[in-house]
Amino acid sequence: MGMQGMRVAIFSLSWMIKTMWKVGFLACFTCGLSLALGQGPSVEEAARHWAFQSISEPVPPLVTNAGTSIDSFLAAKQRSHQLRSAETVSSRLLLRRLAFGLKGLPATHDETLAFERDDRPDALARQVDKMLASPRFGERWGRHWLDLARYADTKGYLVGGASRRYPFAYSYRDWVIGSLNAGMPYDEFVRKQLAADLLRNAPAHPDLAALGFLTVGPRFLNREHLIIDDCIDVVTRGLMGFTVGCARCHDHFYDPIPQEDYYSLYGIFDLVKEPKELPVISLPDPSSPSYRDYTSKLKTLEKAVAEHLRSKWNYLRSEQGIRAYMQAAHDGFSLSNDRLEALAAKRKLYPKLVIRWRDFLRKKETSDDRLFAPWRAFREAKPSSYSSIVANWLSNSREIPPFLERELRKGTPKDFTQVSSWYSREFAGALAKSFVGQSSKATATLVATPAFPVSFELSAVERYFDTAARNKTNALRAKVAKHQADHPGSPTRAMAIVDVSTFHNPRIFERGNPNNRGREVPRRFLAALSPAGTRKPYVNGSGRLELADSILSKSNPLTARVFVNRVWEQMIGEGIVRTPSDFGLRGAPPTHPLLLDYLASTFREDSWDLKRLVRRISLSEAYRQSCGSPPARDPENRLLSVMNRQRLDFESMRDAMLFASGEIDLSIGGRSVHLIKKPFSVRRAVYGYVDRQNIPALLRTFDFSNPNIHTPARPETTVPQQALFALNDPFVIGRAEALGRALVGFAAEKAIQALYRRVLSRDPSAQELATAHAFLGGESSLEGLADLAQALLVSNEFFFID
Amino acid sequence: MDSASRDLPFARRDFLTRCGMGLGVAALGALCGEESLGAASINPMTPRGPHFAPKAKRVIHLFMNGGPAHMDTFDPKPELTRWSGKALPEGRRLATERKTGAAFGSPFRFNRYGKSGLQVSEIFPHVAKHADELCVIRSMKADLPNHEPSLMLMNCGDARLPRPSMGSWVTYGLGSENANLPGFVVLCPNGYPITETNNWRAAFLPGIYQGTYVDPTKGGPNEVIPNLKPARGLDRQGRQLDLLRSLNATHAADRGSDARLEARIQSFELAYRMQMEASDAFDVSKEPAKLRESYGSGIHAKQCLIARRLVERGVRFVQLWHGKDQPWDSHDDIEKQHRRLAGECDQAIGALLSDLKRTGLLEETLVLWGGEFGRTPTVELPKPGSNGGKVNGRDHNHHGFSMWMAGGGVKAGYVHGATDEFGFQAVENPVHVHDLHATMLHLLGFDHERFTYRYAGRDFRFTDVHGRVVKELLA
């Protein structure tokens, strides 16, 4: 260890000790482990860290024979290592690469031929522009964004029969696809996803769907602080490659993120809520049969929920209900809460409400309330002594409530039940206001006070429910949600949020424990990304719009860098920064810092235009070079002297199979479809239903993005389960048979050629023709053609992109 | 090193440091997860060596979900029996999920077994025959008296946050010895336990390490692994594979060496063999009738036998659940319910231990038995909506409970730690769930403090910031 290392180690150790002291030795010691080994940064190092420096506007180095500016940056570095980029790839493979990269679909054989024959100098640019203008572009790139946004159609694990569906998650997915197709600038794209509701006062604006970015995450059994943690994570790692989530329990060990910064963001998301009803953003034709059917059925289902609640509420406020609860309160007057709850359960009454009644009556007894004096007297006496009580009362003409006097003049109650039934009739009457003129003013006042056990509104009745009643409510609501989710006439709603109406500043949770609140911090942006003197508390509502502005501010260098790096990674196969969601001190440094800044600065100059960025990369020589093995001196191909061979992700593979068989349905948007179950949807996979709790094995097998947590990049695995899918899955067999069926009876050569064209967009070589011919035995039977088609569909040539 | 390679943007050494992995160098390329640097195309299930020579190479976790009462199974409490019906002394009754009342002596008899003289309740006679193989921990501790967080703690090492499960960690660290089967298999009859698939999630580890759930009542091997059944005759498929092989060979010939192309070619060969081998693994009818009889009847016999067939074939981690929801959660009728529950699995577990021993597998198989917590020595008081009000059951108890291990390098015929004289809390040599995890990882060859995965800018451990290896448990 050199002097430098020693200094860092000593510094880190003291910092760690200080931090550990602060957090009571309970913080994430794992973070500290490597610190002790001497890897940790000093404060100065943190300040000097490349990613926190403002984005420069580098001039492309002068390099002879380098193509575009991008290539100049790459070539300069390659040449200092005696490397050169590879030959340009063939037109056929280039078009295929481009089609998958931009549209997630293959180029057809005809398109390939036309491109091969097009010798105009701007032939490639024309293709790029055509693809960028295709709606397929938004589907392809939208899916990349949905990975980052941990998109799913469900909430995750929940209990008590509550619906796990997000019936309108698709509105967010469609908004993403539509916005990318429309060429929405990235800054606007981000701003709307954080604060569409604050941008304009339009309660039914389609842009409200953008807020799904914050709301389609997992719900963690509705634990508020975990939901907010997830929002912070997706916003900071997703948009800025900054691991703020690490600072939940303590100051970040590596990056300059004090714990208070986490809570400054926490405070923002703590001040939003879901509206009671999600806003409808596209109303279908109200006269269409499907919409009419939807609304009438919805009414029935909603009525069932409302009626369930109302019938419970009515009962609790009825004479019969009040009597049952008062009786239980009387019978269990001196029991412990536990035992009283047990008694309530035995009588099928709500334990919470029985306790409330009992506590209410106890209070009334001791407060010398005129209304309850007789109640107490009867309660404490034996029925045998009732007559003397009554006589005493009536003769002394003590002030007794009129309703009791009326009853008592008719005769002595035979037991306490009768007394409590008088009370309950009086209360129920006063609540129903049907005893006008009969119930006393005192009663009417009493039942309207919040202290009266059943004075609550209908909307509050659920709070008192026992498990059975609650499960029933959940089940009825789940039916509504399912109807809204599944019925084709159900209008689209945005998964919107709104600010709450009163605002306050957050308090730090000591050690991340919500029950241990520390000092108050303002809502504001992260210290490390705020230039000195500009950091001000957010004052408008929750501060979401101000947060969006900070994230997109020119003084924040991370947002643009992180995004262009993600785009580069999608197109080139590896990022310039190979830790796409961690640009902090422990992330990987950029292989080409100047190129990254060039891309980021031009991206901002181009008004944050994704399509222009994609176009710029597509036209570079780097993108157009052949794939191959990286040279020995650069085994990880960091200098990009060959193109990285990519492979189809699950969506592209599935879409390409349907495309080859000619079955694909290219309609855009709408409710999610089932990809895994028969009959298989023939729509693009981006429209597939994603259940985050039970991600189908097939999707996991093919490295589908985990929607439970922000996924920086999909892993790439090769496992035999993938091959089992290729060999045996009815989906693959079905596409192969569709391909074969269309060619039965054709001459074998013709059929083979057609299959190659459909599946691989090329003609077979003479050798391939001979092999296939022998495989078919010279005949074009369905069985043979389907088997041949399948072999082509699952071949490496189909699966990899050169 | 020549000058050109010296100032390459990244030296190999940096790469290793940044990966922050405590594993063997060979495994690194594939195992850097999030920060994977394009080298992850090899099969992530390739067997790998841990930090040091392991005593255990595989795990069978018998999960008694719901929480068996330790004082009714492996932790005899004569003092509790003496106090039965009386209130425990002041301050000795601890808070649990629900209110409990007087001391409640075990309705079961305990006998001594084997040379070790281990005391086991009458409801586990078959397991008791293996007394001299068992390493019973009577001083387990968890954090909370509720099912969800305790299941998460036991399986994933954290009560609340979405962390990977033990099986995922182990499979990630060791790979699988059988490429034709999933590395981590979960069996639970008739459906999921509560918290469902979270119990065997991979969380931020690659999805391939997630447990593969199998309902053993369904049993058909083709339902275990999707697409296992050949879609057509093996002959026809063989011919098709020959064609595919030639297509892929032509493709590869033009492209120089690329491990990813080769890996995918190999995956088809594996898949072809897997069609036979995987269905075989789940087919218990292939076992001799006499052996099958020794496991008894019922679903536990079947799933224990499947477990043996799986570990025998190199599956790394097998988790067997008692049943869906939380069967061992005897808030009422402890005598009747615990007798029934033990009766359902005792013979099968006993036979599994015999079978593992007979085949020599036990030596390198770590068997773990237990629930997410134990139960109270005091009787649960009636509580509407949560019990039947019978006043003859026990509440959850995380303050102290028992688990046992067998095989895989644990000290056999040994009892570790103790609860207080009533069995309420661990007082002697307490073993927290994190300590159990650290010890298990140790047995599997990992230093739990160095066994990490970089995610979201941080190195995560299965034991987070906790855990210590309990040396006394090691043989």
Side-chain angles (χ1 to χ4, degrees):
Chain A
M1 193 186 280
M3 279 305 289
Q4 173 74 10
M6 187 67 91
R7 189 186 63 74
V8 172
I10 291 167
F11 177 83
S12 307
L13 211 59
S14 65
W15 186 40
M16 191 172 76
I17 290 165
K18 202 178 82 196
T19 312
M20 283 174 59
W21 176 253
K22 212 158 55 186
V23 301
F25 293 94
L26 276 171
C28 309
F29 190 67
T30 9
C31 298
L33 263 185
S34 343
L35 261 180
L37 300 175
Q39 291 177 0
S42 67
V43 170
E44 305 87 78
E45 255 182 288
R48 280 202 311 271
H49 181 60
W50 70 270
F52 305 144
Q53 313 308 314
S54 41
I55 298 172
S56 61
E57 291 174 16
V59 180
L62 280 174
V63 185
T64 48
N65 294 326
T68 67
S69 301
I70 288 175
D71 299 302
S72 298
F73 289 104
L74 293 169
K77 203 136 195 182
Q78 284 167 356
R79 291 186 195 173
S80 72
H81 292 87
Q82 288 86 50
L83 288 172
R84 276 180 188 280
S85 36
E87 298 290 299
T88 304
V89 72
S90 72
S91 296
R92 180 174 70 81
L93 291 179
L94 178 58
L95 194 70
R96 184 166 189 268
R97 181 186 293 171
L98 204 59
F100 274 117
L102 271 53
K103 303 193 297 180
L105 288 170
T108 63
H109 180 243
D110 286 346
E111 285 165 346
T112 309
L113 283 184
F115 182 59
E116 281 175 331
R117 288 185 197 125
D118 187 349
D119 48 13
R120 287 172 293 188
D122 61 346
L124 176 64
R126 284 165 183 271
Q127 290 295 334
V128 172
D129 290 338
K130 204 170 114 190
M131 291 186 197
L132 288 173
S134 155
R136 311 285 85 80
F137 174 80
E139 292 168 336
R140 169 71 172 162
W141 285 78
R143 183 57 245 182
H144 296 328
W145 186 261
L146 296 178
D147 276 17
L148 184 138
R150 84 276 178 250
Y151 174 88
D153 293 280
T154 65
K155 302 171 180 174
Y157 182 70
L158 285 176
V159 289
S163 171
R164 298 183 183 185
R165 306 264 310 256
Y166 281 138
F168 302 105
Y170 75 90
S171 68
Y172 172 62
R173 179 244 289 141
D174 287 351
W175 182 87
V176 168
I177 293 174
S179 304
L180 294 180
N181 275 334
M184 182 184 289
Y186 181 68
D187 57 346
E188 187 184 336
F189 184 65
V190 168
R191 193 173 278 117
K192 285 180 173 165
Q193 293 183 65
L194 294 175
D197 57 318
L198 304 174
L199 285 168
R200 56 161 70 83
N201 187 14
H205 198 280
D207 278 345
L208 291 175
L211 295 164
F213 184 64
L214 298 175
T215 52
V216 293
R219 288 298 162 99
F220 305 100
L221 287 164
N222 294 323
R223 286 190 191 100
E224 198 62 39
H225 58 281
L226 293 179
I227 295 173
I228 295 176
D229 186 58
D230 170 68
C231 278
I232 293 174
D233 189 49
V234 80
V235 165
T236 57
R237 271 203 298 152
L239 303 179
M240 297 184 286
F242 210 33
T243 57
V244 175
C246 283
R248 190 172 123 176
C249 314
H250 53 72
D251 293 348
H252 200 293
F253 279 128
Y254 297 103
D255 291 328
I257 309 169
Q259 191 190 4
E260 60 174 46
D261 276 16
Y262 177 91
Y263 289 94
S264 288
L265 299 187
Y266 189 98
I268 298 169
F269 296 112
D270 197 23
L271 296 177
V272 300
K273 60 174 187 186
E274 289 175 21
K276 235 177 154 185
E277 188 153 87
L278 294 177
V280 170
I281 51 173
S282 82
L283 203 58
D285 173 5
S287 63
S288 75
S290 133
Y291 181 65
R292 289 219 307 263
D293 184 59
Y294 164 75
T295 43
S296 84
K297 284 188 179 133
L298 180 67
K299 253 182 222 146
T300 315
L301 293 169
E302 283 180 338
K303 212 167 131 199
V305 179
E307 273 172 3
H308 167 65
L309 297 177
R310 183 169 286 281
S311 76
K312 300 292 180 197
W313 187 64
N314 282 344
Y315 172 74
L316 299 178
R317 294 158 59 94
S318 70
E319 181 184 343
Q320 194 194 358
I322 293 174
R323 190 166 62 227
Y325 277 87
M326 285 183 76
Q327 187 67 44
H330 163 258
D331 295 347
F333 206 69
S334 50
L335 292 182
S336 70
N337 277 4
D338 284 334
R339 288 183 189 270
L340 184 58
E341 283 183 10
L343 180 138
K346 225 173 232 162
R347 298 185 188 183
K348 300 218 178 332
L349 302 175
Y350 302 151
K352 268 189 218 162
L353 193 58
V354 171
I355 289 180
R356 224 189 134 181
W357 265 108
R358 195 268 313 269
D359 294 350
F360 171 77
L361 292 172
R362 271 186 183 169
K363 215 171 190 173
K364 283 293 168 197
E365 276 198 9
T366 50
S367 67
D368 236 6
D369 190 305
R370 192 174 69 89
L371 197 57
F372 287 90
W375 195 84
R376 178 180 186 173
F378 283 116
R379 193 182 64 73
E380 288 175 342
K382 287 200 171 79
S384 54
S385 54
Y386 279 5
S387 55
S388 62
I389 297 177
V390 174
N392 188 27
W393 251 322
L394 294 179
S395 62
N396 289 357
S397 70
R398 265 184 67 163
E399 277 190 43
I400 51 170
F403 75 91
L404 272 183
E405 190 178 347
R406 238 178 2 250
E407 297 294 345
L408 293 177
R409 291 209 182 278
K410 286 184 211 155
T412 305
K414 63 179 192 313
D415 54 18
F416 188 74
T417 310
Q418 201 175 357
V419 177
S420 75
S421 75
W422 293 336
Y423 273 90
S424 43
R425 193 189 316 154
E426 172 74 359
F427 291 147
L431 285 166
K433 299 194 177 81
S434 62
F435 269 45
V436 183
Q438 288 197 52
S439 69
S440 73
K441 208 168 173 191
T443 320
T445 315
L446 175 75
V447 300
T449 57
F452 189 71
V454 287
S455 63
F456 51 80
E457 295 291 315
L458 171 61
S459 59
V461 66
E462 286 177 73
R463 271 184 239 153
Y464 296 92
F465 277 2
D466 58 8
T467 316
R470 197 162 39 243
N471 285 352
K472 175 92 189 285
T473 319
N474 283 346
L476 291 171
R477 288 219 172 99
K479 279 190 186 164
V480 174
K482 190 174 177 334
H483 177 68
Q484 289 179 325
D486 293 339
H487 196 284
S490 163
T492 304
R493 290 169 189 268
M495 286 182 64
I497 43 170
V498 292
D499 278 0
V500 298
S501 44
T502 55
F503 303 104
H504 59 86
N505 274 329
R507 285 184 177 282
I508 287 176
F509 298 171
E510 298 293 353
R511 289 178 212 147
N513 181 349
N515 300 320
N516 192 358
R517 310 249 161 159
R519 68 183 186 287
E520 187 179 305
V521 293
R523 285 168 280 129
R524 59 181 175 182
F525 199 47
L526 303 162
L529 302 177
S530 309
T534 64
R535 195 176 182 217
K536 298 208 173 69
Y538 293 156
V539 290
N540 294 317
S542 64
R544 264 184 297 130
L545 189 53
E546 289 154 289
L547 173 66
D549 288 339
S550 302
I551 289 171
L552 296 162
S553 149
K554 193 145 193 198
S555 60
N556 171 7
L558 285 175
T559 305
R561 278 202 188 108
V562 165
F563 186 68
V564 298
N565 185 61
R566 290 190 194 283
V567 173
W568 181 267
E569 185 189 10
Q570 289 302 342
M571 304 216 34
I572 302 292
E574 289 286 357
I576 296 172
V577 174
R578 295 193 175 193
T579 52
S581 292
D582 185 3
F583 275 42
L585 280 101
R586 290 253 281 179
T591 53
H592 298 81
L594 294 178
L595 173 58
L596 184 64
D597 274 11
Y598 169 78
L599 292 171
S601 60
T602 49
F603 177 57
R604 287 207 298 213
E605 278 161 29
D606 286 347
S607 330
W608 306 80
D609 187 336
L610 168 64
K611 290 190 179 184
R612 287 177 75 172
L613 174 63
V614 169
R615 189 176 195 274
R616 181 172 286 125
I617 299 172
S618 305
L619 297 179
S620 70
E621 286 184 351
Y623 182 77
R624 286 150 57 195
Q625 62 184 331
S626 315
C627 294
S629 310
R633 67 176 58 177
D634 181 20
E636 289 168 27
N637 197 25
R638 289 169 189 277
L639 300 176
L640 205 61
S641 58
V642 289
M643 181 64 173
N644 295 302
R645 181 166 288 125
Q646 300 201 47
R647 53 178 228 185
L648 302 185
D649 54 24
F650 174 77
E651 291 92 331
S652 297
M653 176 188 68
R654 191 182 188 280
D655 291 351
M657 286 182 177
L658 287 168
F659 189 83
S661 70
E663 296 166 286
I664 197 161
D665 168 1
L666 289 174
S667 53
I668 300 169
R671 289 189 167 68
S672 297
V673 296
H674 285 278
L675 302 178
I676 312 296
K677 277 188 240 156
K678 264 183 172 175
F680 300 112
S681 169
V682 291
R683 298 195 55 198
R684 295 200 70 179
V686 68
Y687 299 114
Y689 179 80
V690 182
D691 176 0
R692 62 163 39 97
Q693 180 62 21
N694 295 304
I695 305 160
L698 179 62
L699 293 184
R700 279 189 282 113
T701 297
F702 280 96
D703 305 317
F704 185 75
S705 174
N706 180 354
N708 287 309
I709 206 158
H710 163 80
T711 309
R714 295 189 184 192
E716 190 186 292
T717 63
T718 303
V719 291
Q721 285 91 331
Q722 294 167 353
L724 285 173
F725 170 81
L727 290 174
N728 298 329
D729 196 275
F731 175 81
V732 182
I733 306 266
R735 309 296 70 75
E737 283 175 352
L739 276 159
R741 203 171 296 122
L743 298 166
V744 174
F746 281 77
E749 286 81 3
K750 258 277 141 324
I752 293 165
Q753 186 192 49
L755 281 179
Y756 265 81
R757 287 180 173 183
R758 292 290 291 277
V759 180
L760 300 175
S761 307
R762 68 174 174 93
D763 282 328
S765 69
Q767 178 65 44
E768 285 167 333
L769 192 64
T771 307
H773 201 273
F775 179 79
L776 293 178
E779 282 174 37
S780 39
S781 68
L782 175 59
E783 185 180 309
L785 288 169
D787 285 3
L788 173 61
Q790 190 185 0
L792 295 174
L793 283 172
V794 306
S795 67
N796 274 355
E797 182 173 347
F798 186 85
F799 193 64
F800 286 92
I801 308 166
D802 276 303
Chain B
M1 201 186 270
D2 66 22
S3 66
S5 63
R6 195 160 47 236
D7 60 58
L8 269 176
F10 295 90
R12 178 76 179 158
R13 187 173 45 82
D14 293 342
F15 165 72
L16 297 184
T17 325
R18 278 180 300 107
C19 280
M21 277 285 311
L23 285 176
V25 172
L28 274 165
L31 288 180
C32 288
E34 172 194 6
E35 322 297 356
S36 93
L37 306 172
S41 60
I42 63 162
N43 189 332
M45 287 299 179
T46 307
R48 289 177 285 272
H51 296 133
F52 42 82
K55 290 288 192 318
K57 291 193 169 161
R58 54 196 90 87
V59 178
I60 297 177
H61 184 180
L62 306 162
F63 208 122
M64 305 295 114
N65 49 320
H70 44 293
M71 65 291 298
D72 295 322
T73 53
F74 292 93
D75 191 8
K77 288 293 163 198
E79 194 59 21
L80 179 65
T81 309
R82 273 189 282 282
W83 281 74
S84 207
K86 285 182 250 168
L88 291 185
E90 185 68 26
R92 299 298 296 279
R93 195 186 62 191
L94 305 176
T96 51
E97 186 181 78
R98 304 163 187 188
K99 287 274 169 60
T100 62
F104 180 25
S106 176
F108 307 118
R109 216 176 49 244
F110 277 72
N111 296 314
R112 288 188 182 277
Y113 293 89
K115 287 195 196 118
S116 59
L118 180 76
Q119 292 198 62
V120 180
S121 153
E122 59 178 302
I123 60 177
F124 276 109
H126 290 87
V127 172
K129 284 183 202 154
H130 297 274
D132 291 341
E133 301 292 341
L134 304 187
C135 172
V136 180
I137 310 168
R138 286 189 180 150
S139 53
M140 287 298 305
K141 276 178 92 73
D143 295 334
L144 289 165
N146 320 98
H147 293 289
E148 282 96 344
S150 298
L151 283 165
M152 288 300 97
L153 177 68
M154 186 60 74
N155 280 316
C156 306
D158 191 292
R160 299 175 313 276
L161 302 168
R163 300 286 179 253
S165 61
M166 176 164 29
S168 299
W169 276 106
V170 170
T171 323
Y172 154 68
L174 294 174
S176 176
E177 307 227 317
N178 187 328
N180 303 342
L181 288 168
F184 173 18
V185 178
V186 179
L187 295 135
C188 183
N190 296 310
Y192 293 144
I194 55 162
T195 68
E196 305 178 1
T197 53
N198 289 347
N199 289 300
W200 48 87
R201 67 186 164 204
F204 48 71
L205 294 176
I208 194 76
Y209 299 116
Q210 182 180 314
T212 297
Y213 168 76
V214 175
D215 181 348
T217 60
K218 297 255 172 64
N222 297 323
E223 291 154 42
V224 174
I225 299 170
N227 298 312
L228 192 62
K229 190 168 184 275
R232 55 184 75 74
L234 283 174
D235 279 357
R236 186 173 156 194
Q237 194 184 59
R239 245 169 56 77
Q240 193 188 28
L241 274 170
D242 287 340
L243 176 69
L244 179 63
R245 217 173 276 133
S246 93
L247 291 173
N248 285 342
T250 312
H251 177 258
D254 293 345
R255 283 166 175 80
S257 79
D258 183 337
R260 299 152 80 215
L261 299 181
E262 182 55 29
R264 189 159 184 273
I265 291 170
Q266 285 308 320
S267 73
F268 278 88
E269 308 297 331
L270 283 171
Y272 183 70
R273 294 198 298 272
M274 199 162 163
Q275 296 175 132
M276 272 85 72
E277 185 161 345
S279 35
D280 191 58
F282 287 89
D283 188 355
V284 293
S285 71
K286 301 220 160 127
E287 295 289 339
K290 200 152 174 222
L291 184 77
R292 288 209 311 264
E293 276 164 31
S294 75
Y295 277 78
S297 56
I299 194 60
H300 287 268
K302 184 176 175 192
Q303 70 172 2
C304 282
L305 196 43
I306 291 175
R308 199 223 71 213
R309 289 176 69 83
L310 291 175
V311 295
E312 182 178 51
R313 283 161 175 75
V315 171
R316 194 62 77 184
F317 203 106
V318 182
Q319 189 171 52
L320 303 185
W321 293 76
H322 192 98
K324 71 167 187 165
D325 304 332
Q326 41 205 35
W328 278 89
D329 197 23
S330 307
H331 288 281
D332 285 308
D333 293 326
I334 197 114
E335 180 173 2
K336 186 171 141 210
Q337 296 303 338
H338 265 42
R339 194 184 292 283
R340 171 182 64 81
L341 291 157
E344 284 168 4
C345 63
D346 171 51
Q347 185 180 354
I349 296 173
L352 173 65
L353 291 172
S354 304
D355 205 5
L356 290 172
K357 202 166 176 202
R358 178 184 60 84
T359 49
L361 286 163
L362 186 60
E363 217 166 287
E364 294 188 330
T365 305
L366 179 60
V367 182
L368 174 69
W369 178 97
E372 63 270 38
F373 41 48
R375 309 201 78 82
T376 53
T378 43
V379 74
E380 180 168 327
L381 295 176
K383 170 103 178 168
S386 33
N387 64 22
K390 296 182 176 175
V391 205
N392 60 359
R394 303 185 189 277
D395 189 23
H396 316 153
N397 181 5
H398 62 290
H399 304 289
F401 60 102
S402 299
M403 294 186 81
W404 57 256
M405 298 192 282
V410 300
K411 199 180 282 176
Y414 171 67
V415 172
H416 183 80
T419 48
D420 61 32
E421 70 271 38
F422 307 117
F424 225 127
Q425 66 175 325
V427 289
E428 198 179 294
N429 296 321
V431 177
H432 191 273
V433 173
H434 295 303
D435 303 330
L436 176 76
H437 291 159
T439 311
M440 291 178 70
L441 288 179
H442 178 87
L443 289 163
L444 290 157
F446 293 102
D447 173 349
H448 71 106
E449 292 184 355
R450 286 195 293 137
F451 183 35
T452 60
Y453 185 86
R454 173 71 60 79
Y455 171 73
R458 197 193 126 179
D459 289 336
F460 282 89
R461 285 168 29 190
F462 179 37
T463 49
D464 196 16
V465 300
H466 314 283
R468 102 199 134 80
V469 176
V470 185
K471 292 265 158 56
E472 297 91 325
L473 299 174
L474 311 176

